[in-house]
Amino acid sequence: MAKIIDEDVTQVANAFGFTVPTADINDYKVLLEKTKAVLEEVINSEDYQPRPDPEATPRTEIYLPERADNPLGAWAWRCRCAHKNPSSDLLKDKTVCLKDNIAMAQVPCLLGTSSFTGWSPITDATVVTRILENGGIITGKAVCENLSRGAVSCTAATGPVDNPYAKGYSAGGSSSGTAALVASGAVDMGIGCDQGGSIRIPASLCGLYGFKATVGLVPYTGIASIDASMDYVGPITTTCMDCATLLEAIVGVDGFDDRQIAGVPFPGNVPRYKDILLKTEQRGVKGMKIGILEEGIELPVTDPGVEKMFRAAVAGFEKLGASVIEVSIPLHSLGRPVSTVMSKMGNHMGMLGRATGRRQVMLTDLYEKKGIPYTQDAIDKMNTVSKEGLISGEYAWTHYSFAYPKAINLTRKLKDDYDTALESVDFLVMPTTITPSSPLPKADATPLEHIEASVGKLENTSVFNGTGHPALAMPIGFVPAKEDPNIKLPASMQIVGKFWDEARILQAAYAWEKAYNWKEF
């Protein structure tokens, strides 16, 4: 690059509102030249990312599927990868798909966008390593929504993803492809990521189990981030037992992810969730106390069919021996606005390549591909949801910079309020999404129509990304579509528990699953 000149100093300073005194420009020019030198020294140094062993875990059959082999539009890329000598058979012969923001070396990663292309990671995410070490077979990458933003399955550059229960309806997002593939039987189980509900919303709309575990329990290493305070990765499955099994395979300290707080077990001390379900099967929910979160139901847009099915499912718990009470947490109604501020402002810094303060594996090859700062052409190729995020994020930081730290403090208050409620009940329950799936927006939908399509989906999910509580989505029946009563769509219950109480959340869900067939409930 060319040497620093006076105009470089004044231009950079003006960007943050500083006019450099003329007498000082030369000094700052010398200092900026020194900064430039160390920046280039770091940029030109060899990177340091973990590399998988290609001999032990060969990647074969890597290809982009034809539409005829991809009827739901849910596959982003196909491959086959199995460990030649796995250390466990926990996932033996189970086929698994990965949300396409998860790094898997040698397999292209699209991130649901065409604003940049050609990224084939050089590392494996920790969840990839653990799936393979436990005998799982990874068969491909599942479509994620545009840059992992959006709760409606119409934003990916590869096209919309159809709901397996109703063509032309949303599969949810942003882990849309994972849910569609699992629900359709294309794979046995899948991995999704969740920054506001992106595991639980697709699970809800597609009749699946989706688990966002306690903050840090599952390492996020090697996955494209939205905001580190909101990032989660976890299982999406058709049964509770599969959910427990896949969760067991991927949890625990990995030594890289600084999201992993005190309380995360080391690999040798991971709870045996699958065995726990078998051992507690007879006990089920007897003696458990369940709290219906009033503010999680009493919302203007709550679908009457969803509420009716939810209350019937809760009554099912009572019949199995649990006691049920109503619980009020008034601040829950502020959870959605608070998480919106955290997401829009936190993700904005990440989108601009300015997220800092991390001690983890950084996907530097992804940063290079993004070509930040963005060009008009790159932004034109983003979906409305991503564009709106950039606009809102820039506006928020420019005019309401105080909102982000305030949202962080309010999130702690929310956590304390949920914790207080959980002292008197074992779990809090509410509909996962307060509306079922809806038709995908039309190809010529306006920006406002795109954004409004997600109404009713994040009201009960997003807040728990910030607070860190474990939250499981489980299927509880079908409800008629608002647009056509003859179309039946899945409804879902969310079970929220204390930190590290995944085993008992699964125990409760498993008891309900064993007693009732959700498709006939």
Tab-separated table of all heavy atoms in Angstrom, residues 217-237:
chain	number	residue	atom	x	y	z
A	217	LEU	N	-22.853	-24.492	26.942
A	217	LEU	CA	-22.780	-25.942	27.130
A	217	LEU	C	-22.268	-26.646	25.875
A	217	LEU	O	-21.466	-27.581	25.945
A	217	LEU	CB	-24.145	-26.501	27.529
A	217	LEU	CG	-24.180	-28.000	27.851
A	217	LEU	CD1	-23.290	-28.332	29.041
A	217	LEU	CD2	-25.610	-28.478	28.103
A	218	VAL	N	-22.744	-26.182	24.718
A	218	VAL	CA	-22.266	-26.724	23.442
A	218	VAL	C	-21.319	-25.702	22.821
A	218	VAL	O	-21.720	-24.566	22.567
A	218	VAL	CB	-23.429	-27.010	22.476
A	218	VAL	CG1	-22.900	-27.661	21.191
A	218	VAL	CG2	-24.481	-27.891	23.131
A	219	PRO	N	-20.058	-26.056	22.573
A	219	PRO	CA	-19.100	-25.069	22.044
A	219	PRO	C	-19.478	-24.581	20.654
A	219	PRO	O	-19.848	-25.369	19.789
A	219	PRO	CB	-17.773	-25.819	22.037
A	219	PRO	CG	-18.139	-27.270	22.048
A	219	PRO	CD	-19.435	-27.375	22.794
A	220	TYR	N	-19.359	-23.268	20.452
A	220	TYR	CA	-19.703	-22.637	19.183
A	220	TYR	C	-18.478	-22.488	18.276
A	220	TYR	O	-18.556	-21.913	17.198
A	220	TYR	CB	-20.323	-21.261	19.466
A	220	TYR	CG	-21.143	-20.698	18.330
A	220	TYR	CD1	-22.476	-21.071	18.148
A	220	TYR	CD2	-20.602	-19.776	17.445
A	220	TYR	CE1	-23.228	-20.547	17.108
A	220	TYR	CE2	-21.348	-19.241	16.401
A	220	TYR	CZ	-22.661	-19.633	16.238
A	220	TYR	OH	-23.410	-19.123	15.205
A	221	THR	N	-17.366	-23.034	18.674
A	221	THR	CA	-16.114	-22.915	17.930
A	221	THR	C	-16.281	-23.342	16.474
A	221	THR	O	-16.828	-24.411	16.183
A	221	THR	CB	-15.025	-23.782	18.585
A	221	THR	OG1	-14.891	-23.398	19.953
A	221	THR	CG2	-13.699	-23.643	17.867
A	222	GLY	N	-15.776	-22.498	15.559
A	222	GLY	CA	-15.785	-22.862	14.146
A	222	GLY	C	-17.102	-22.613	13.447
A	222	GLY	O	-17.385	-23.223	12.417
A	223	ILE	N	-17.898	-21.698	13.984
A	223	ILE	CA	-19.199	-21.386	13.393
A	223	ILE	C	-19.295	-19.869	13.203
A	223	ILE	O	-18.889	-19.106	14.075
A	223	ILE	CB	-20.358	-21.884	14.288
A	223	ILE	CG1	-20.205	-23.377	14.580
A	223	ILE	CG2	-21.700	-21.605	13.634
A	223	ILE	CD1	-21.196	-23.913	15.591
A	224	ALA	N	-19.828	-19.458	12.061
A	224	ALA	CA	-19.983	-18.024	11.798
A	224	ALA	C	-20.888	-17.408	12.848
A	224	ALA	O	-21.990	-17.897	13.106
A	224	ALA	CB	-20.554	-17.807	10.402
A	225	SER	N	-20.422	-16.329	13.446
A	225	SER	CA	-21.116	-15.714	14.577
A	225	SER	C	-22.010	-14.572	14.132
A	225	SER	O	-21.706	-13.849	13.183
A	225	SER	CB	-20.070	-15.197	15.576
A	225	SER	OG	-20.673	-14.417	16.591
A	226	ILE	N	-23.121	-14.388	14.843
A	226	ILE	CA	-23.920	-13.174	14.724
A	226	ILE	C	-23.508	-12.210	15.825
A	226	ILE	O	-23.129	-11.084	15.591
A	226	ILE	CB	-25.429	-13.488	14.766
A	226	ILE	CG1	-25.868	-14.022	13.404
A	226	ILE	CG2	-26.245	-12.261	15.142
A	226	ILE	CD1	-27.350	-14.209	13.236
A	227	ASP	N	-23.577	-12.664	17.060
A	227	ASP	CA	-23.063	-11.905	18.200
A	227	ASP	C	-22.757	-12.923	19.293
A	227	ASP	O	-23.601	-13.769	19.618
A	227	ASP	CB	-24.079	-10.887	18.693
A	227	ASP	CG	-23.569	-10.112	19.898
A	227	ASP	OD1	-22.639	-9.304	19.722
A	227	ASP	OD2	-24.086	-10.320	21.005
A	228	ALA	N	-21.556	-12.859	19.850
A	228	ALA	CA	-21.103	-13.895	20.773
A	228	ALA	C	-22.005	-14.035	21.985
A	228	ALA	O	-22.110	-15.124	22.559
A	228	ALA	CB	-19.665	-13.614	21.211
A	229	SER	N	-22.686	-12.973	22.392
A	229	SER	CA	-23.568	-13.063	23.550
A	229	SER	C	-24.883	-13.760	23.226
A	229	SER	O	-25.646	-14.103	24.131
A	229	SER	CB	-23.854	-11.664	24.105
A	229	SER	OG	-24.565	-10.888	23.168
A	230	MET	N	-25.147	-13.987	21.931
A	230	MET	CA	-26.421	-14.589	21.509
A	230	MET	C	-26.237	-15.930	20.790
A	230	MET	O	-27.219	-16.586	20.459
A	230	MET	CB	-27.156	-13.638	20.557
A	230	MET	CG	-27.368	-12.235	21.086
A	230	MET	SD	-28.653	-12.123	22.328
A	230	MET	CE	-30.118	-12.095	21.309
A	231	ASP	N	-24.990	-16.360	20.536
A	231	ASP	CA	-24.716	-17.531	19.698
A	231	ASP	C	-24.915	-18.856	20.444
A	231	ASP	O	-24.362	-19.056	21.527
A	231	ASP	CB	-23.262	-17.510	19.213
A	231	ASP	CG	-22.961	-16.405	18.221
A	231	ASP	OD1	-23.884	-15.981	17.514
A	231	ASP	OD2	-21.788	-15.987	18.150
A	232	TYR	N	-25.664	-19.763	19.826
A	232	TYR	CA	-25.832	-21.118	20.352
A	232	TYR	C	-25.860	-22.097	19.181
A	232	TYR	O	-26.252	-21.737	18.071
A	232	TYR	CB	-27.147	-21.275	21.127
A	232	TYR	CG	-27.237	-20.454	22.392
A	232	TYR	CD1	-27.506	-19.086	22.333
A	232	TYR	CD2	-27.061	-21.033	23.648
A	232	TYR	CE1	-27.590	-18.320	23.483
A	232	TYR	CE2	-27.152	-20.279	24.810
A	232	TYR	CZ	-27.414	-18.921	24.726
A	232	TYR	OH	-27.502	-18.175	25.866
A	233	VAL	N	-25.489	-23.338	19.459
A	233	VAL	CA	-25.581	-24.412	18.471
A	233	VAL	C	-26.157	-25.628	19.177
A	233	VAL	O	-25.881	-25.849	20.361
A	233	VAL	CB	-24.198	-24.713	17.842
A	233	VAL	CG1	-23.158	-25.068	18.897
A	233	VAL	CG2	-24.294	-25.813	16.797
A	234	GLY	N	-27.003	-26.401	18.462
A	234	GLY	CA	-27.631	-27.528	19.131
A	234	GLY	C	-28.385	-28.447	18.197
A	234	GLY	O	-28.439	-28.225	16.981
A	235	PRO	N	-29.013	-29.480	18.769
A	235	PRO	CA	-29.665	-30.523	17.977
A	235	PRO	C	-31.070	-30.168	17.506
A	235	PRO	O	-31.810	-29.464	18.198
A	235	PRO	CB	-29.710	-31.710	18.951
A	235	PRO	CG	-29.767	-31.081	20.308
A	235	PRO	CD	-28.983	-29.803	20.205
A	236	ILE	N	-31.414	-30.678	16.337
A	236	ILE	CA	-32.784	-30.672	15.814
A	236	ILE	C	-33.091	-32.105	15.392
A	236	ILE	O	-32.390	-32.663	14.538
A	236	ILE	CB	-32.932	-29.708	14.621
A	236	ILE	CG1	-32.678	-28.260	15.062
A	236	ILE	CG2	-34.313	-29.827	13.994
A	236	ILE	CD1	-32.766	-27.232	13.936
A	237	THR	N	-34.123	-32.709	15.997
A	237	THR	CA	-34.386	-34.142	15.801
A	237	THR	C	-35.885	-34.424	15.764
A	237	THR	O	-36.698	-33.585	16.133
A	237	THR	CB	-33.761	-34.970	16.945
A	237	THR	OG1	-34.397	-34.598	18.182
A	237	THR	CG2	-32.261	-34.725	17.071
